[in-house]
Amino acid sequence: MEENRRALMLNAPFFSSRYYSMYGHVERLAEEIKKGADSVSGVEAFLWQVPETLPKEVLIKMNVPPRSEVPTIQPRQLVEADALIFGFPTRYGMMAAQFKAFMDATGGLWKEQALAGKPAGLFYSTGSQGGGQETTPLTAITQLVHHGLVYVPIGYTFGAGMFEMNEVKGGGPYGAGTFAGDGTRQPSELELQQAFHQGRYTALIAKKMNGAS
């Protein structure tokens, strides 16, 4: 990375660091991921949310809270980052349509292979324990593959937190995760710690790949 600190940019749909988060669960994880990335010397992380695709009247009926002030990203801005972490809620075991629509708009970048070689991670939120904590990242990997992005899972580097059995915990070796339930459950302290770890771990990998110490 350059001396003036290149950006490690996180991604996730908002309601999901690039991300989409409808009810804020993904966004909360993204905030911790950013903290983790920022804790690495020489790294500066930014949060971006992808555009909403649902009409305002539909969002009102769904009781969706107002979007945060996190800026909305356009596909071309992905090129500016040294590393990317994409976050989104789950819809039927796959990323939410809003985030998929954003990825569908990156065809120009795919044609140029403008993102090839950049490290990229994934994080996610599901409504239940069987709602896609594994299938969501597994199906999202196809987006990384076609762009030539280098997938960076966290594996079991989170240590003992990966084996916690006394409390409900989202996430796994694919990336940080949380359970939203009916929407009232918020990410637990352990889930937030895992998100922080993912941000720091990915930032360290990005520095190594960019030849920085």
Side-chain angles (χ1 to χ4, degrees):
M1 295 187 178
E2 298 174 356
E3 291 184 358
N4 64 352
R5 302 197 308 172
R6 297 284 297 284
L8 172 71
M9 302 177 75
L10 308 179
N11 293 277
F14 211 14
F15 295 35
S16 121
S17 303
R18 229 136 274 147
Y19 67 90
Y20 172 80
S21 182
M22 182 171 282
Y23 295 100
H25 298 81
V26 172
E27 181 175 39
R28 186 67 189 90
L29 293 179
E31 291 169 348
E32 288 303 310
I33 287 175
K34 181 183 186 305
K35 291 178 183 178
D38 284 334
S39 73
V40 176
S41 175
V43 171
E44 183 176 10
F46 296 90
L47 295 180
W48 302 86
Q49 54 182 328
V50 304
E52 179 57 77
T53 59
L54 291 176
K56 184 177 181 180
E57 55 270 23
V58 173
L59 295 173
I60 292 175
K61 291 180 179 179
M62 295 174 67
N63 296 315
V64 175
R67 285 168 69 89
S68 73
E69 296 182 357
V70 171
T72 299
I73 192 170
Q74 298 303 315
R76 180 56 59 175
Q77 291 175 272
L78 293 172
V79 179
E80 301 170 6
D82 291 312
L84 303 162
I85 306 180
F86 300 105
F88 28 78
T90 299
R91 301 290 184 266
Y92 303 112
M94 300 189 299
M95 68 171 61
Q98 290 88 338
F99 203 81
K100 181 59 165 60
F102 175 78
M103 295 304 295
D104 286 348
T106 63
L109 300 180
W110 166 80
K111 186 175 182 180
E112 302 168 13
Q113 284 295 283
L115 304 180
K118 293 179 183 289
L122 303 167
F123 63 105
Y124 36 88
S125 171
T126 70
S128 66
Q129 295 186 58
Q133 288 283 318
E134 288 196 342
T135 61
T136 301
L138 282 172
T139 52
I141 287 173
T142 61
Q143 311 294 313
L144 309 186
V145 168
H146 284 266
H147 276 289
L149 289 160
V150 180
Y151 177 41
V152 181
I154 61 174
Y156 284 82
T157 60
F158 187 46
M162 298 295 295
F163 301 94
E164 171 59 45
M165 296 294 288
N166 294 318
E167 66 174 82
V168 173
K169 180 186 74 67
Y174 304 97
T178 188
F179 294 112
D182 63 0
T184 59
R185 182 188 186 274
Q186 294 299 311
S188 69
E189 182 59 33
L190 186 58
E191 290 171 337
L192 295 176
Q193 290 173 7
Q194 186 178 50
F196 181 94
H197 171 77
Q198 181 173 12
R200 181 173 177 80
Y201 179 78
T202 305
L204 289 169
I205 294 295
K207 286 190 67 173
K208 289 181 179 179
M209 292 181 66
N210 280 276
S213 59

